[in-house]
Structures are given as C-alpha cells and as structure tokens.
C-alpha cells in the first residue's frame, strides 16, 4: 500500500516541480538573476523554437506524468503488468530531460558572462524522476515475486 501511495504522491509532486525554480540565471553577477522553472523555460522555448519545445515538453511533462499514471494503474490492477516495459521507456525519456538541463547548466557556466545558481526545484524534479524509476523497479519486482506469476 505504501508503494501505491508514494506513486500517487508523484502525481501531486510533479506539477509542483514543474513550477519550482530550477535555477537562477543572469548576465554577469552585477545584474539581477531570473528564476527559471520547467514551465518558464518551456514558455520561452515555445516562442523561439516550436520543434525543440515539443520535444522538451514531451520529456519534461508528458513522459514522467504518463509513466506515473501507468505505474499507478498497474499497481491498482487496472492496467496489465505487461505494459511495464513501455512505462520503463517513458521513465528513460523523463530522465533524458534532467540530463539536458544539466548539460545546459554546464554549457552556460562555461561562458564567462553568465551567472547560474542551481535552485531547489532542480533537485525536486530530479528526485521525482528517480522516485518514479525506483517505484517502477519495486513494482516490477513485486509482480515477478507474486504467486502465480
């Protein structure tokens, strides 16, 4: 029952993580820093590059949320457990988004005129994705060890 509740809690924590500040960024340390969240980043991206915005929206919003919904459905016996390989792929797509954010931070820090400070939202977003992957592995292990499987 605890695994089910933790999975359902991710359905609340993901939207919080999307609006939480991932980083504070600005040009030179002299100017004020702007907060960047998944949502504000996506808003900016939709204005400048629609195709990249669609890819990042898929990785940051749809993949982790659909995976969590699917995992909850499997845990409550409302979805066939054979769907778990697809859920596993969705989890990997979600993790790719965290990699992209880390890559952007690394690249931006290499430019001498940009100041970037990582904020708590990046850790929360990463924790949600890692929790989802862990809960998926536990669910799969429980399914395999259940009698009659």
């Amino acid at each position: 029952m605890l695994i089910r509740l933790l999975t359902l809690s991710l359905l609340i924590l993901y939207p919080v993580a999307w609006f939480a500040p991932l980083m504070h960024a600005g040009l030179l340390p002299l100017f004020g820093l702007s907060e960047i969240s998944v949502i504000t980043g996506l808003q900016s991206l939709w204005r400048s590059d629609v195709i990249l915005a669609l890819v990042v929206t898929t990785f940051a919003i749809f993949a982790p949320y659909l995976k969590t919904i699917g995992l909850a459905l499997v845990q409550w016996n409302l979805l066939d457990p054979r769907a778990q390989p697809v859920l596993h792929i969705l989890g990997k797509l979600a993790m790719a988004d965290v990699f992209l954010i880390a890559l952007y931070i690394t690249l931006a820090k290499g430019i001498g005129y940009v100041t970037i400070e990582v904020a708590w939202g990046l850790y929360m977003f990463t924790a949600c994705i890692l929790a989802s992957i862990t809960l998926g592995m536990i669910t799969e292990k429980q399914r395999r060890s259940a009698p009659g499987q």
Side-chain angles (χ1 to χ4, degrees):
M1 186 61 156
L2 178 63
I3 299 300
R4 290 177 178 181
L5 292 175
L6 289 172
T7 301
L8 291 176
S9 71
L10 286 176
L11 296 176
I12 296 167
L13 293 173
Y14 269 124
V16 172
W18 296 330
F19 287 93
L22 297 174
M23 65 187 94
H24 305 282
L27 188 61
L28 296 174
L30 304 173
F31 301 105
L33 300 178
S34 301
E35 280 190 355
I36 299 171
S37 69
V38 171
I39 298 300
T40 60
L42 286 173
Q43 288 171 336
S44 176
L45 203 51
W46 278 103
R47 286 189 293 269
S48 63
D49 190 339
V50 175
I51 293 173
L52 184 58
L54 186 60
V55 171
V56 173
T57 300
T58 300
F59 287 163
I61 306 287
F62 296 125
Y65 213 68
L66 287 174
K67 187 223 177 178
T68 303
I69 290 170
L71 188 58
L73 291 173
V74 168
Q75 292 169 346
W76 292 90
N77 298 318
L78 298 172
L79 181 65
D80 191 323
R82 291 179 290 182
Q84 281 198 273
V86 174
L87 300 177
H88 185 69
I89 291 169
L90 285 173
K92 286 184 182 224
L93 289 176
M95 199 61 209
D97 189 57
V98 172
F99 170 74
L100 287 175
I101 293 169
L103 181 64
Y104 293 145
I105 290 171
T106 303
L107 289 174
K109 281 189 172 187
I111 301 171
Y113 304 110
V114 177
T115 300
I116 293 185
E117 297 172 2
V118 174
W120 64 271
L122 181 61
Y123 299 111
M124 182 178 187
F125 186 57
T126 304
C128 285
I129 290 172
L130 292 175
S132 178
I133 291 169
T134 302
L135 292 168
M137 290 173 17
I138 291 169
T139 301
E140 176 67 21
K141 185 176 179 181
Q142 288 176 342
R143 185 186 70 82
R144 286 185 183 165
S145 65
Q149 296 293 324

